[in-house]
Amino acid sequence: MKLPESTEWALHCVAALAQLPDEAVSAAQLAEHFALPTPYLSKQLALLVRADLLTGTTGPRGGFRLSRSASQVTLLDVVEAVDGSGDPYTCREIRQQGRGAAPPEECRERCFLAQRMRDAHVAWRESLRSVTISSLVASLSEEVRARTRASLSRHVR
Amino acid sequence: MKLPESTEWALHCVAALAQLPDEAVSAAQLAEHFALPTPYLSKQLALLVRADLLTGTTGPRGGFRLSRSASQVTLLDVVEAVDGSGDPYTCREIRQQGRGAAPPEECRERCFLAQRMRDAHVAWRESLRSVTISSLVASLSEEVRARTRASLSRHVR
């Protein structure tokens, strides 16, 4: 069970953009900031736009910014923008197959195993949903935030 | 983020074996019970043996049984026997890369994002660890358990 490598990219980009709420930052700037390949990072940023977490603008001053307050964006939002919201456990109803098959009338409710696997996925989602990007950024030192701004802001340079 | 298809197989097999605590059940019997391909199921059963959840014996009366009480086996044990115990999130320390790189002395602790992703994985694991196979089997109706025994026991047939 693996999240895509780009999950780390998306999380760091959103956390970085939350530190420059008044500016648009281009994919090329973010790629340089984290030493990531621009074309592939651009695809991940497009997923964040599609999930309505970022807005993208074009033009010489264009780029990406959070579409709403960082207090309204959770880790779950970012992770699911990249990886989807599906349960990692897939129930293919093998309880209804083979010599031990349960009859359909016994299977109106979700399989007892799938239920418990779902409970665990809910616990995972709730944990990620409880963490806002704003709370994470607030936990960073002023030194870290100043470095992010110095690297990414068009105004500082 | 996906668990392997065989997770469902392993969970159902362990739950079935817990209903026949005094018998060894062969891979072929389990495969027939759930209409699964015996060779691939055998590989999954071998993973459960390697994780010390099942013991396997050979010979005409040989087969698999739980290696300990079903009250001592959790969903987490079974899932991790098949899929490993790794965190689905991989931190490749991109915080230390690129123009925004944090210096090593700032990175003695785990990245703030990896920490929170780890918290979610811990919540997932705790949820699965809280469910024993014995509690699941106890929740099944007597009708279901009788059908399992009728399909899998060498004594009943």
Side-chain angles (χ1 to χ4, degrees):
Chain A
M1 186 171 80
K2 276 288 169 200
L3 287 164
E5 178 176 354
S6 56
T7 308
E8 185 186 11
W9 305 7
L11 288 170
H12 275 285
C13 284
V14 168
L17 292 174
Q19 296 170 59
L20 291 95
D22 303 321
E23 289 191 54
V25 179
S26 71
Q29 285 178 287
L30 287 164
E32 196 179 349
H33 183 73
F34 292 118
L36 297 173
T38 307
Y40 189 41
L41 178 61
S42 295
K43 290 183 188 169
Q44 307 310 313
L45 295 170
L47 293 176
L48 296 171
V49 170
R50 188 185 306 171
D52 200 28
L53 301 181
L54 303 186
T55 53
T57 51
T58 54
R61 291 274 146 190
F64 299 91
R65 63 177 76 200
L66 292 193
S67 65
R68 53 188 189 262
S69 158
S71 65
Q72 301 297 314
V73 181
T74 71
L75 286 186
L76 184 67
D77 294 326
V78 180
V79 170
E80 294 195 338
V82 172
D83 192 51
S85 58
D87 190 329
Y89 178 76
T90 305
C91 172
R92 290 182 175 77
E93 292 285 337
I94 69 168
R95 63 176 171 166
Q96 299 197 54
Q97 303 177 176
R99 193 170 63 203
E105 59 269 24
E106 252 180 41
C107 299
R108 292 195 190 107
E109 296 195 352
R110 183 176 289 154
C111 171
F112 67 108
L113 292 164
Q115 282 177 31
R116 299 315 184 96
M117 296 303 293
R118 177 69 57 95
D119 290 344
H121 187 50
V122 168
W124 184 82
R125 296 185 82 234
E126 287 306 312
S127 177
L128 293 180
R129 197 203 309 274
S130 72
V131 183
T132 61
I133 299 299
S134 58
S135 72
L136 290 173
V137 169
S139 75
L140 299 174
S141 70
E142 179 47 41
E143 190 181 351
V144 170
R145 285 185 278 173
R147 191 173 55 236
T148 301
R149 287 194 301 271
S151 169
L152 288 175
S153 173
R154 287 157 172 151
H155 301 313
V156 173
R157 287 185 294 149
Chain B
M1 185 170 79
K2 275 288 167 202
L3 287 164
E5 178 176 354
S6 56
T7 308
E8 185 186 10
W9 306 6
L11 289 169
H12 275 284
C13 285
V14 168
L17 292 174
Q19 296 169 59
L20 291 95
D22 303 320
E23 289 191 55
V25 179
S26 72
Q29 285 177 285
L30 287 165
E32 198 179 346
H33 182 72
F34 292 118
L36 297 173
T38 307
Y40 190 38
L41 179 62
S42 295
K43 288 183 189 169
Q44 307 309 313
L45 295 169
L47 292 177
L48 296 171
V49 170
R50 188 186 304 170
D52 201 27
L53 302 180
L54 304 185
T55 52
T57 51
T58 53
R61 290 274 146 192
F64 299 91
R65 63 178 75 203
L66 291 193
S67 65
R68 52 186 189 263
S69 158
S71 65
Q72 301 296 314
V73 181
T74 70
L75 286 186
L76 184 67
D77 294 327
V78 180
V79 170
E80 293 196 339
V82 172
D83 192 52
S85 59
D87 190 329
Y89 178 76
T90 305
C91 173
R92 290 184 175 78
E93 291 285 338
I94 69 169
R95 64 176 171 167
Q96 298 196 55
Q97 301 177 175
R99 194 170 60 200
E105 60 270 23
E106 251 180 44
C107 300
R108 292 197 189 105
E109 297 194 353
R110 183 176 292 154
C111 172
F112 67 107
L113 292 165
Q115 282 177 31
R116 299 314 184 93
M117 295 302 294
R118 178 69 57 95
D119 290 344
H121 187 51
V122 167
W124 184 82
R125 297 185 81 234
E126 288 306 313
S127 178
L128 293 180
R129 198 203 308 274
S130 73
V131 183
T132 61
I133 300 299
S134 58
S135 72
L136 291 175
V137 169
S139 74
L140 299 174
S141 70
E142 179 46 41
E143 189 182 350
V144 170
R145 286 185 278 173
R147 190 172 56 234
T148 301
R149 288 194 301 273
S151 169
L152 288 174
S153 173
R154 286 156 172 150
H155 302 312
V156 173
R157 286 186 294 152

